[in-house]
Amino acid sequence: MELSTIIGLVLGFLAVGVGMVLKGASLGALFNPAAILIIFVGTAAALFIAFPMSDLKKFPKLLKKLFKKEEVMSKTELVNFLKELTQTVRREGLLAIEEKVSNVKDPFLQLGLQMIVDGIEEDMAKDMLLEEIEAMERRHRVGASLFSQGGTYAPTLGVLGAVVGLVAALGNLSDIDKLGHSIAAAFIATLFGIFSGYVLWHPMANKLKRLSAEEIELKTMMAEGILSLPKGISPSIMEQKLLIFLSESERDAIRNGTVGVANESQQTRTA
């Protein structure tokens, strides 16, 4: 479970709910079918118009990424794994790692190692790995844009909902009670639009971008290590090449030997 997403949602709803109570507003005012229809169904309609079905079908998977923390090989584990491979290559040659390659769970890491074992030229292997990373980055960018565009549409639809509500309110000028109720209901649409746009859609887009950046960095790190294997470098040099991707605390964990060697049961985030 991705706790930060859950905590953020709970705090967001609490902030609005408690804030309304403190201001003397009734929480029952939030149950406004017309406002819900205009904002949430309207946002969905705008997304259907803006994106092809091939992109929209990824929406459930993207939501899952936001709420479920996926198992992924850490950078420190990757460093130790590649150092182990380096030792094997120097001692027994590239073909000696073929058995380990078949047990690697990460598709990208397995692809790169298999290319090295198969003797593909370094330039070709590098091009293929970089193209794979670029393709993954493009897919991630489209996924994040689904949410960022939703965050753009929702507040504007909130204004539209308020206008619709005010039009209805103007029809009740002769009844002060109905007029006040209609005006209050009109601004509920604006509340939903701003809340969904700036507490839900845009933050979720930002998290997807952050997750994408982390995965791209990990894949780049993998590519750097993979392409270094045929050069016969020492494990210490391999470590130094990869430490640039790590934070100070992660570097200390490597140097102090507090991180175990990555095992073959590690799962990685699906691209």
Side-chain angles (χ1 to χ4, degrees):
M1 185 70 68
E2 183 58 63
L3 286 179
S4 62
T5 302
I6 302 299
I7 292 172
L9 288 174
V10 171
L11 289 177
F13 283 106
L14 277 177
V16 173
V18 174
M20 288 183 65
V21 171
L22 292 177
K23 288 291 187 180
S26 171
L27 290 178
L30 295 175
F31 297 96
N32 188 311
I36 293 173
L37 182 70
I38 292 172
I39 302 306
F40 294 101
V41 178
T43 301
L47 290 175
F48 271 98
I49 295 171
F51 292 89
M53 282 302 299
S54 59
D55 292 338
L56 293 168
K57 288 178 180 178
K58 300 174 183 177
F59 191 81
K61 183 178 178 181
L62 293 171
L63 278 179
K64 183 179 178 181
K65 289 173 74 71
L66 290 167
F67 287 94
K68 184 178 180 182
K69 188 176 180 64
E70 297 181 330
E71 295 292 334
V72 58
M73 178 183 287
S74 70
K75 293 177 182 178
T76 49
E77 290 173 329
L78 179 60
V79 170
N80 283 332
F81 178 65
L82 290 171
K83 283 173 61 180
E84 181 186 359
L85 290 185
T86 301
Q87 291 174 335
T88 303
V89 170
R90 294 197 74 186
R91 188 171 56 247
E92 304 174 36
L94 276 172
L95 293 179
I97 67 172
E98 187 169 11
E99 182 178 348
K100 294 183 178 181
V101 172
S102 61
N103 294 324
V104 172
K105 300 299 181 181
D106 185 291
F108 182 84
L109 184 58
Q110 185 180 56
L111 171 66
L113 292 174
Q114 190 61 55
M115 287 192 294
I116 297 301
V117 171
D118 291 341
I120 294 179
E121 294 182 1
E122 180 182 348
D123 289 343
M124 181 179 293
K126 181 178 181 179
D127 289 342
M128 292 177 66
L129 291 174
L130 292 180
E131 287 172 5
E132 183 72 20
I133 293 174
E134 290 174 1
M136 180 187 68
E137 185 176 9
R138 287 194 296 270
R139 293 195 300 271
H140 289 181
R141 194 182 303 121
V142 170
S145 67
L146 278 171
F147 289 82
S148 61
Q149 288 299 304
T152 300
Y153 303 143
T156 306
L157 287 168
V159 176
L160 174 62
V163 171
V164 172
L166 290 175
V167 169
L170 291 175
N172 296 313
L173 290 177
S174 59
D175 190 329
I176 299 301
D177 290 335
K178 286 185 178 180
L179 177 63
H181 179 76
S182 298
I183 292 175
F187 286 104
I188 291 298
T190 304
L191 186 153
F192 281 155
I194 295 174
F195 179 84
S196 62
Y198 294 105
V199 180
L200 300 180
W201 292 103
H202 278 307
M204 287 180 175
N206 186 73
K207 175 161 284 188
L208 287 174
K209 292 175 184 177
R210 184 73 184 95
L211 292 173
S212 175
E214 290 177 356
E215 187 169 1
I216 289 168
E217 187 174 36
L218 184 65
K219 293 291 191 289
T220 303
M221 187 176 173
M222 288 178 181
E224 184 69 28
I226 291 167
L227 296 172
S228 298
L229 285 174
K231 298 176 182 178
I233 63 175
S234 66
S236 61
I237 297 299
M238 173 67 81
E239 180 180 296
Q240 290 302 316
K241 285 173 67 70
L242 299 179
L243 283 181
I244 61 174
F245 294 95
L246 275 62
S247 66
E248 283 300 323
S249 60
E250 290 170 328
R251 295 182 188 188
D252 290 340
I254 292 286
R255 291 163 181 158
N256 296 332
T258 58
V259 180
V261 176
N263 57 59
E264 289 128 359
S265 65
Q266 292 294 328
Q267 295 179 342
T268 59
R269 185 180 290 114
T270 304

